[in-house]
Amino acid sequence: MKLLTLNFLTCARKACKTSAASFPLHPREAELEQVELDMNPQFIRNVLPRVEWEAMRSISQELGLPSLPDTAPGPEELADAEGGPTQILKDLHTLLMETTIASGKLLCANCGHEYAIKEGIANFLLPSHLV
Amino acid sequence: MAMLPTPLTSHVSYDQVYEPAEDSYLLLDTLSSGTETAFLRAHFSGHPSVPLVLEVGTGSGVVLAFITAHAEHVLGRSDVVTLGTDLNIFACGAASVTVVDAVEATQSMPSSEAREDTIPKPGSGVFLDTLKMDLASSCRPNIVDILIFNPPYVPTEHLPTAHTEESSTQTTFDRDSHLLSFSYAGGTDGMEVTNRLLSQLPSILSPDRGVAYVLLCAQNRPEEVKSRIREWEGGWCAETVGGSGKKAGWEKLSIIRIWKGV
């Protein structure tokens, strides 16, 4: 599961949706895997406005990855003078698209429920007593 | 218009995962039809933020693979992000392979074949993941721009219940039949799962530009479904935008587009 995917997910429990603590889900005991992917600079530029930067910073920190700057880089930091991709853009591609969680858990800080990730697929089905 | 290639699903085990059928192909035809590509291109152009596509209940992944691989043709842009969900773990695994393969096949199409007049532009979107999930239950509220749902629409007496843990006493055959039943068994009027999804749509779709495509069969009473949606608060529209198997004026299968009018 790609780290960017975590940007779009929260706890499956209805009661957690309104709580700010249910986002982001926190990776635990995560086994990371780097999967090489072609870079799409236009995609990275245009997806950034949708990325909850604070959340991505904390995820990256919790996973022990290189720390992200305090604020999301602006368009001028993503393209060099010739319009090519900057190192910042390449690093974002590596973090968001190529860094995947092969196995581990995702913890909701609101209710404490943990969702398992196995073979790269996260399981968000709730046990019946939590639905 | 030239046909867009259909994603290959020969790696999928149909003992465990719904095999692409008439309903799946109707979704492909509808999404790539002139009227829908015109609607979607107009709807999603001119806004820099990337659209998020979610297919609920991907099965083999043939539909998600199609819209991801042909994002530029269908949506008019390739900076599109796509996700899939399914209750069936085998479907999650298979769909992911289907999408990745379809994108690769589209991207490696020789440029001589990619002439604009014969085969549409090969710009593909960006696929993220398939997740084992009930409908869109773990998606953050109001973030999905395009939702696609080919639901279990066959009227049945009961709905299968999801097990969170596999029972060890179950035979493989029982387990597989149980998994497959999720792909077709729709309960009363075949609408129990679809109604649950529809009731959640206003909190799933993005408020300004969210669009959903939902497949219905004649027994689901599509005209009544559309009337109910039009009564939702906030000015919702519902139109039939695709159909197949016309019998005495009734479509056997139809696809409705649901979106908020301006």
Coordinates of all heavy atoms in Angstrom, one line a residue, chain B residues 130-204:
Chain B
T130 N -5.8 -1.2 -4.2 CA -7.1 -1.8 -3.9 C -7.1 -2.1 -2.4 O -6.1 -2.6 -1.9 CB -7.4 -3.0 -4.7 OG1 -6.3 -3.9 -4.6 CG2 -7.7 -2.7 -6.2
L131 N -8.2 -1.9 -1.8 CA -8.3 -2.0 -0.3 C -9.5 -3.0 0.0 O -10.5 -2.9 -0.7 CB -8.6 -0.6 0.3 CG -7.6 0.4 -0.1 CD1 -8.2 1.8 0.1 CD2 -6.3 0.3 0.7
K132 N -9.3 -3.8 1.0 CA -10.4 -4.7 1.4 C -11.3 -3.8 2.3 O -10.9 -3.5 3.4 CB -9.8 -5.9 2.2 CG -10.9 -6.9 2.5 CD -10.3 -8.2 3.1 CE -11.3 -9.1 3.6 NZ -10.8 -10.3 4.3
M133 N -12.5 -3.5 1.8 CA -13.3 -2.5 2.5 C -14.8 -2.7 2.1 O -15.1 -3.1 1.0 CB -12.8 -1.1 2.0 CG -13.4 0.1 2.8 SD -13.0 1.7 2.1 CE -11.2 1.7 2.3
D134 N -15.7 -2.4 3.0 CA -17.1 -2.3 2.7 C -17.4 -1.0 2.1 O -17.2 0.1 2.7 CB -17.9 -2.5 4.0 CG -19.4 -2.3 3.8 OD1 -19.9 -2.8 2.8 OD2 -20.0 -1.6 4.7
L135 N -17.9 -1.0 0.8 CA -18.2 0.2 0.1 C -17.1 1.2 0.2 O -16.0 0.8 -0.3 CB -19.5 0.8 0.6 CG -20.8 -0.1 0.5 CD1 -22.0 0.5 1.1 CD2 -21.0 -0.7 -0.9
A136 N -17.3 2.4 0.7 CA -16.3 3.4 0.8 C -16.0 3.8 2.2 O -15.7 4.9 2.6 CB -16.6 4.6 0.0
S137 N -16.3 2.8 3.1 CA -16.4 3.1 4.6 C -15.1 3.7 5.2 O -15.3 4.4 6.2 CB -16.7 1.8 5.3 OG -15.7 0.8 5.1
S138 N -14.0 3.5 4.6 CA -12.8 4.1 5.2 C -12.2 5.3 4.4 O -11.1 5.7 4.7 CB -11.7 3.0 5.4 OG -11.7 2.5 6.7
C139 N -13.0 5.7 3.5 CA -12.5 6.9 2.7 C -12.9 8.1 3.5 O -13.9 8.2 4.2 CB -13.2 7.0 1.4 SG -12.6 5.7 0.2
R140 N -12.0 9.1 3.5 CA -12.3 10.4 4.2 C -13.6 11.0 3.6 O -13.8 10.8 2.4 CB -11.1 11.4 4.1 CG -10.0 11.1 5.1 CD -8.8 11.9 4.8 NE -9.1 13.3 4.5 CZ -8.5 14.1 3.7 NH1 -7.5 13.6 2.9 NH2 -8.8 15.3 3.6
P141 N -14.4 11.6 4.4 CA -15.7 12.1 3.8 C -15.5 13.1 2.7 O -14.6 13.9 2.7 CB -16.3 12.9 5.0 CG -15.6 12.3 6.2 CD -14.3 11.9 5.8
N142 N -16.4 13.0 1.7 CA -16.5 14.0 0.6 C -15.2 14.2 -0.2 O -14.8 15.4 -0.5 CB -17.0 15.3 1.1 CG -18.4 15.2 1.7 OD1 -18.6 15.3 2.9 ND2 -19.4 14.9 0.9
I143 N -14.5 13.1 -0.5 CA -13.2 13.3 -1.3 C -13.3 12.7 -2.7 O -12.4 12.9 -3.5 CB -12.0 12.8 -0.5 CG1 -12.1 11.3 -0.2 CG2 -11.7 13.6 0.7 CD1 -10.7 10.7 0.0
V144 N -14.3 11.8 -2.9 CA -14.4 11.1 -4.2 C -15.0 11.9 -5.3 O -16.1 12.4 -5.1 CB -15.1 9.7 -4.0 CG1 -15.3 9.0 -5.3 CG2 -14.4 8.9 -2.9
D145 N -14.3 12.1 -6.4 CA -14.8 12.8 -7.5 C -15.6 12.0 -8.5 O -16.6 12.5 -9.0 CB -13.7 13.6 -8.2 CG -13.0 14.6 -7.3 OD1 -13.7 15.5 -6.9 OD2 -11.8 14.4 -7.0
I146 N -15.2 10.8 -8.7 CA -15.9 9.9 -9.6 C -16.0 8.5 -8.9 O -15.0 7.9 -8.6 CB -15.2 9.7 -10.9 CG1 -15.1 11.0 -11.6 CG2 -16.0 8.7 -11.8 CD1 -14.2 10.9 -12.9
L147 N -17.3 8.1 -8.6 CA -17.5 6.8 -8.0 C -18.1 5.9 -9.0 O -19.1 6.3 -9.7 CB -18.3 6.9 -6.7 CG -18.6 5.6 -6.0 CD1 -18.5 5.9 -4.5 CD2 -19.9 5.0 -6.4
I148 N -17.6 4.7 -9.1 CA -18.2 3.7 -10.0 C -18.6 2.5 -9.2 O -17.9 2.0 -8.4 CB -17.2 3.3 -11.1 CG1 -16.7 4.5 -11.9 CG2 -17.8 2.3 -12.1 CD1 -15.5 4.3 -12.7
F149 N -19.9 2.0 -9.5 CA -20.3 0.9 -8.7 C -21.2 -0.1 -9.6 O -22.2 0.3 -10.1 CB -21.2 1.4 -7.5 CG -21.5 0.3 -6.5 CD1 -20.7 -0.8 -6.2 CD2 -22.7 0.4 -5.8 CE1 -21.0 -1.7 -5.3 CE2 -23.0 -0.6 -4.8 CZ -22.2 -1.6 -4.6
N150 N -20.7 -1.3 -9.8 CA -21.4 -2.4 -10.4 C -21.8 -3.3 -9.2 O -21.1 -4.1 -8.8 CB -20.5 -3.1 -11.4 CG -21.3 -4.2 -12.1 OD1 -22.4 -4.4 -11.9 ND2 -20.6 -4.9 -13.0
P151 N -23.0 -3.0 -8.7 CA -23.4 -3.6 -7.4 C -23.8 -5.1 -7.5 O -24.1 -5.5 -8.6 CB -24.5 -2.8 -6.9 CG -25.2 -2.3 -8.1 CD -24.1 -2.2 -9.2
P152 N -24.0 -5.8 -6.4 CA -24.7 -7.0 -6.4 C -26.2 -6.7 -6.6 O -26.8 -6.1 -5.7 CB -24.4 -7.6 -5.1 CG -24.0 -6.5 -4.2 CD -23.5 -5.5 -5.1
Y153 N -26.8 -6.9 -7.8 CA -28.1 -6.4 -8.1 C -29.2 -7.4 -8.3 O -30.3 -7.2 -8.6 CB -28.1 -5.5 -9.4 CG -27.5 -6.1 -10.6 CD1 -28.2 -7.1 -11.3 CD2 -26.2 -5.8 -11.0 CE1 -27.7 -7.7 -12.4 CE2 -25.6 -6.5 -12.1 CZ -26.4 -7.4 -12.8 OH -25.9 -8.0 -13.9
V154 N -28.8 -8.7 -8.1 CA -29.8 -9.8 -8.3 C -30.6 -9.9 -7.1 O -30.1 -10.0 -5.9 CB -29.0 -11.1 -8.6 CG1 -30.0 -12.3 -8.7 CG2 -28.1 -11.0 -9.8
P155 N -32.0 -9.9 -7.2 CA -32.8 -10.0 -6.0 C -32.6 -11.4 -5.4 O -32.6 -12.4 -6.1 CB -34.2 -9.9 -6.6 CG -34.1 -9.2 -7.9 CD -32.7 -9.6 -8.4
T156 N -32.4 -11.4 -4.1 CA -32.2 -12.7 -3.4 C -32.9 -12.6 -2.1 O -33.2 -11.5 -1.6 CB -30.7 -13.0 -3.1 OG1 -30.1 -11.9 -2.5 CG2 -29.9 -13.3 -4.4
E157 N -33.2 -13.8 -1.5 CA -33.9 -13.8 -0.2 C -33.0 -13.2 0.9 O -33.5 -12.5 1.8 CB -34.3 -15.2 0.1 CG -35.5 -15.3 1.0 CD -36.0 -16.8 1.0 OE1 -36.0 -17.5 0.0 OE2 -36.3 -17.2 2.2
H158 N -31.8 -13.6 0.9 CA -30.9 -13.1 2.0 C -29.7 -12.5 1.4 O -29.2 -12.7 0.3 CB -30.4 -14.3 2.8 CG -31.5 -15.1 3.4 ND1 -32.3 -14.5 4.5 CD2 -32.0 -16.3 3.2 CE1 -33.2 -15.4 4.8 NE2 -33.1 -16.5 4.0
L159 N -29.0 -11.6 2.2 CA -27.7 -11.1 1.9 C -26.7 -11.9 2.6 O -26.9 -12.3 3.7 CB -27.6 -9.7 2.4 CG -28.2 -8.5 1.6 CD1 -27.7 -7.2 2.3 CD2 -27.7 -8.5 0.2
P160 N -25.6 -12.2 1.9 CA -24.5 -12.9 2.6 C -23.9 -12.0 3.6 O -23.9 -10.8 3.5 CB -23.5 -13.2 1.4 CG -23.8 -12.3 0.3 CD -25.3 -11.9 0.5
T161 N -23.4 -12.6 4.7 CA -22.8 -11.8 5.7 C -21.3 -12.0 5.6 O -20.7 -13.0 5.4 CB -23.2 -12.3 7.2 OG1 -23.2 -13.7 7.2 CG2 -24.6 -11.8 7.5
A162 N -20.6 -10.8 5.9 CA -19.2 -10.8 5.8 C -18.5 -11.4 7.0 O -19.0 -11.2 8.1 CB -18.7 -9.4 5.6
H163 N -17.6 -12.3 6.8 CA -16.8 -12.9 8.0 C -15.5 -12.1 8.0 O -14.9 -11.9 7.0 CB -16.5 -14.3 7.8 CG -17.7 -15.2 7.6 ND1 -18.8 -15.2 8.4 CD2 -17.9 -16.1 6.6 CE1 -19.7 -16.1 7.9 NE2 -19.2 -16.6 6.8
T164 N -15.2 -11.7 9.2 CA -13.9 -11.0 9.3 C -12.8 -12.0 9.4 O -11.6 -11.7 9.0 CB -13.9 -10.0 10.5 OG1 -14.5 -10.7 11.6 CG2 -14.6 -8.7 10.2
E165 N -13.1 -13.1 9.9 CA -12.0 -14.2 9.9 C -12.5 -15.4 9.2 O -13.7 -15.8 9.3 CB -11.7 -14.6 11.4 CG -10.7 -13.6 12.0 CD -11.2 -13.3 13.4 OE1 -11.3 -14.2 14.2 OE2 -11.4 -12.1 13.7
E166 N -11.7 -16.0 8.4 CA -12.1 -17.2 7.7 C -12.2 -18.4 8.7 O -11.4 -18.6 9.5 CB -11.0 -17.6 6.6 CG -10.6 -16.4 5.7 CD -11.8 -16.0 4.8 OE1 -12.8 -16.8 4.7 OE2 -11.8 -14.8 4.3
S167 N -13.3 -19.1 8.5 CA -13.5 -20.2 9.4 C -12.7 -21.4 8.9 O -12.6 -21.7 7.7 CB -15.0 -20.6 9.4 OG -15.2 -22.0 9.6
S168 N -12.0 -22.1 9.8 CA -11.1 -23.2 9.4 C -11.8 -24.4 9.0 O -11.3 -25.3 8.3 CB -10.1 -23.5 10.5 OG -10.8 -23.7 11.7
T169 N -13.1 -24.5 9.4 CA -13.9 -25.7 9.1 C -14.5 -25.7 7.7 O -15.0 -26.7 7.2 CB -15.0 -25.9 10.1 OG1 -15.8 -24.8 10.1 CG2 -14.5 -26.2 11.5
Q170 N -14.5 -24.4 7.1 CA -15.1 -24.3 5.8 C -14.2 -25.0 4.7 O -13.0 -24.9 4.7 CB -15.1 -22.8 5.4 CG -16.4 -22.2 5.3 CD -16.3 -20.7 4.9 OE1 -15.2 -20.1 4.9 NE2 -17.4 -20.2 4.5
T171 N -14.9 -25.6 3.7 CA -14.1 -26.1 2.6 C -13.8 -25.0 1.6 O -14.4 -23.9 1.7 CB -15.0 -27.2 1.8 OG1 -16.1 -26.5 1.2 CG2 -15.4 -28.3 2.7
T172 N -12.8 -25.2 0.8 CA -12.5 -24.2 -0.2 C -13.7 -23.8 -1.1 O -13.9 -22.7 -1.4 CB -11.3 -24.7 -1.1 OG1 -10.3 -25.1 -0.2 CG2 -10.8 -23.6 -1.9
F173 N -14.4 -24.9 -1.5 CA -15.6 -24.6 -2.3 C -16.6 -23.7 -1.7 O -17.1 -22.8 -2.2 CB -16.2 -26.0 -2.7 CG -17.4 -25.8 -3.6 CD1 -17.3 -25.5 -5.0 CD2 -18.7 -25.9 -3.1 CE1 -18.4 -25.3 -5.8 CE2 -19.8 -25.7 -3.8 CZ -19.7 -25.4 -5.2
D174 N -16.9 -24.0 -0.4 CA -17.8 -23.2 0.4 C -17.3 -21.8 0.5 O -18.1 -20.8 0.3 CB -18.1 -23.8 1.8 CG -18.9 -25.0 1.8 OD1 -19.5 -25.3 0.7 OD2 -18.9 -25.7 2.8
R175 N -16.1 -21.6 0.8 CA -15.5 -20.3 0.9 C -15.6 -19.5 -0.4 O -16.1 -18.4 -0.4 CB -14.0 -20.4 1.4 CG -13.4 -19.0 1.6 CD -11.9 -19.1 1.4 NE -11.4 -19.5 0.1 CZ -10.2 -19.9 -0.2 NH1 -9.3 -19.9 0.7 NH2 -9.9 -20.2 -1.5
D176 N -15.3 -20.2 -1.5 CA -15.3 -19.5 -2.8 C -16.7 -19.1 -3.2 O -17.0 -18.0 -3.7 CB -14.7 -20.4 -3.8 CG -13.1 -20.5 -3.7 OD1 -12.6 -19.8 -2.8 OD2 -12.5 -21.3 -4.4
S177 N -17.7 -20.1 -2.9 CA -19.1 -19.7 -3.3 C -19.6 -18.6 -2.4 O -20.3 -17.7 -2.9 CB -20.0 -20.9 -3.1 OG -19.4 -22.1 -3.2
H178 N -19.2 -18.6 -1.2 CA -19.6 -17.5 -0.3 C -19.0 -16.2 -0.8 O -19.7 -15.2 -0.9 CB -19.1 -17.8 1.1 CG -19.5 -16.8 2.1 ND1 -20.8 -16.6 2.6 CD2 -18.8 -15.8 2.8 CE1 -20.8 -15.6 3.5 NE2 -19.6 -15.1 3.6
L179 N -17.7 -16.2 -1.2 CA -17.1 -14.9 -1.7 C -17.8 -14.5 -3.0 O -18.1 -13.3 -3.1 CB -15.6 -15.2 -2.0 CG -14.7 -15.2 -0.8 CD1 -13.3 -15.6 -1.2 CD2 -14.7 -13.9 -0.1
L180 N -18.1 -15.4 -3.9 CA -18.7 -15.0 -5.1 C -20.1 -14.5 -4.9 O -20.6 -13.6 -5.6 CB -18.8 -16.3 -6.1 CG -17.5 -16.6 -6.9 CD1 -17.8 -17.8 -7.8 CD2 -17.1 -15.3 -7.7
S181 N -20.8 -15.0 -3.8 CA -22.2 -14.5 -3.6 C -22.2 -13.0 -3.3 O -23.2 -12.4 -3.6 CB -22.8 -15.3 -2.5 OG -22.2 -15.0 -1.2
F182 N -21.2 -12.5 -2.8 CA -21.1 -11.0 -2.5 C -21.2 -10.2 -3.8 O -21.6 -9.1 -3.9 CB -19.8 -10.6 -1.8 CG -19.8 -11.0 -0.4 CD1 -19.0 -12.0 0.1 CD2 -20.6 -10.3 0.5 CE1 -19.0 -12.4 1.4 CE2 -20.6 -10.7 1.9 CZ -19.8 -11.7 2.3
S183 N -20.8 -10.8 -4.9 CA -20.7 -10.1 -6.2 C -22.1 -10.0 -6.9 O -22.3 -9.2 -7.8 CB -19.7 -10.7 -7.1 OG -20.1 -12.0 -7.5
Y184 N -23.0 -10.9 -6.5 CA -24.3 -10.8 -7.2 C -25.6 -10.7 -6.2 O -26.5 -10.0 -6.6 CB -24.5 -12.0 -8.1 CG -24.6 -13.3 -7.4 CD1 -25.8 -13.8 -6.8 CD2 -23.5 -14.2 -7.2 CE1 -25.9 -15.0 -6.1 CE2 -23.6 -15.4 -6.6 CZ -24.7 -15.8 -6.0 OH -24.8 -17.0 -5.3
A185 N -25.5 -11.2 -5.0 CA -26.7 -11.3 -4.2 C -27.0 -9.9 -3.6 O -26.3 -9.3 -2.8 CB -26.5 -12.2 -3.0
G186 N -28.2 -9.4 -4.0 CA -28.6 -8.0 -3.7 C -29.7 -7.9 -2.7 O -30.2 -6.8 -2.4
G187 N -30.2 -9.0 -2.2 CA -31.3 -9.0 -1.2 C -32.6 -8.5 -1.9 O -32.8 -8.7 -3.1
T188 N -33.5 -7.9 -1.1 CA -34.8 -7.4 -1.5 C -34.7 -6.5 -2.8 O -34.0 -5.5 -2.7 CB -35.6 -6.7 -0.4 OG1 -35.5 -7.5 0.8 CG2 -37.0 -6.4 -0.8
D189 N -35.4 -6.8 -3.8 CA -35.4 -6.1 -5.1 C -34.0 -6.0 -5.6 O -33.7 -5.2 -6.6 CB -35.9 -4.6 -4.9 CG -37.4 -4.6 -4.6 OD1 -38.1 -5.6 -5.0 OD2 -37.9 -3.7 -3.9
G190 N -33.0 -6.7 -5.1 CA -31.6 -6.6 -5.5 C -31.0 -5.2 -5.2 O -30.0 -4.8 -5.7
M191 N -31.7 -4.5 -4.2 CA -31.3 -3.1 -4.0 C -30.7 -2.9 -2.6 O -30.4 -1.7 -2.2 CB -32.6 -2.2 -4.1 CG -32.9 -1.9 -5.5 SD -31.6 -0.9 -6.4 CE -31.8 0.7 -5.6
E192 N -30.6 -3.9 -1.8 CA -30.1 -3.7 -0.4 C -28.8 -3.0 -0.3 O -28.5 -2.1 0.4 CB -30.2 -4.9 0.5 CG -31.7 -5.3 0.8 CD -31.8 -6.4 1.8 OE1 -31.0 -6.5 2.7 OE2 -32.6 -7.3 1.6
V193 N -27.8 -3.5 -1.1 CA -26.5 -3.0 -1.0 C -26.4 -1.6 -1.8 O -25.8 -0.7 -1.3 CB -25.4 -4.0 -1.7 CG1 -24.0 -3.4 -1.6 CG2 -25.5 -5.3 -1.0
T194 N -27.1 -1.6 -2.9 CA -27.2 -0.3 -3.7 C -27.8 0.8 -2.9 O -27.3 1.9 -2.8 CB -27.9 -0.5 -5.0 OG1 -27.4 -1.6 -5.7 CG2 -27.9 0.7 -5.9
N195 N -28.9 0.5 -2.1 CA -29.5 1.5 -1.3 C -28.6 2.0 -0.2 O -28.6 3.2 0.1 CB -30.8 1.0 -0.7 CG -32.0 1.1 -1.7 OD1 -32.0 1.9 -2.6 ND2 -33.0 0.2 -1.5
R196 N -27.8 1.1 0.3 CA -26.9 1.5 1.4 C -25.8 2.5 0.8 O -25.5 3.5 1.4 CB -26.2 0.3 1.9 CG -25.8 0.4 3.4 CD -25.7 -1.0 4.1 NE -24.9 -1.9 3.4 CZ -23.5 -1.9 3.5 NH1 -22.9 -1.1 4.2 NH2 -22.8 -2.8 2.8
L197 N -25.3 2.1 -0.4 CA -24.3 3.0 -1.1 C -25.0 4.3 -1.4 O -24.4 5.4 -1.2 CB -23.8 2.3 -2.3 CG -22.7 2.9 -3.2 CD1 -23.2 3.9 -4.2 CD2 -21.5 3.4 -2.4
L198 N -26.2 4.3 -2.0 CA -26.8 5.6 -2.4 C -27.0 6.5 -1.2 O -26.8 7.7 -1.3 CB -28.2 5.3 -3.1 CG -28.1 4.6 -4.4 CD1 -29.5 4.3 -5.0 CD2 -27.4 5.5 -5.4
S199 N -27.4 5.9 0.0 CA -27.7 6.8 1.1 C -26.4 7.4 1.6 O -26.4 8.5 2.3 CB -28.3 5.9 2.2 OG -27.4 5.1 2.8
Q200 N -25.3 6.8 1.3 CA -24.0 7.4 1.7 C -23.4 8.3 0.7 O -22.4 9.0 1.0 CB -23.0 6.2 2.0 CG -23.4 5.3 3.2 CD -22.5 4.1 3.3 OE1 -21.4 4.0 2.7 NE2 -22.9 3.1 4.1
L201 N -23.9 8.3 -0.5 CA -23.3 9.1 -1.6 C -23.0 10.6 -1.2 O -21.9 11.1 -1.5 CB -24.1 9.0 -2.9 CG -23.7 8.0 -3.9 CD1 -24.5 8.3 -5.2 CD2 -22.2 8.0 -4.2
P202 N -24.0 11.3 -0.6 CA -23.7 12.7 -0.3 C -22.6 12.9 0.6 O -22.0 14.0 0.6 CB -25.1 13.1 0.4 CG -26.1 12.2 -0.2 CD -25.4 10.9 -0.4
S203 N -22.2 11.9 1.4 CA -21.0 12.0 2.3 C -19.8 11.4 1.7 O -18.7 11.5 2.3 CB -21.3 11.5 3.7 OG -21.7 10.1 3.6
I204 N -19.9 10.7 0.6 CA -18.7 10.2 -0.1 C -18.2 11.1 -1.2 O -17.0 11.4 -1.3 CB -19.0 8.8 -0.8 CG1 -19.4 7.8 0.3 CG2 -17.8 8.3 -1.6 CD1 -19.9 6.4 -0.3

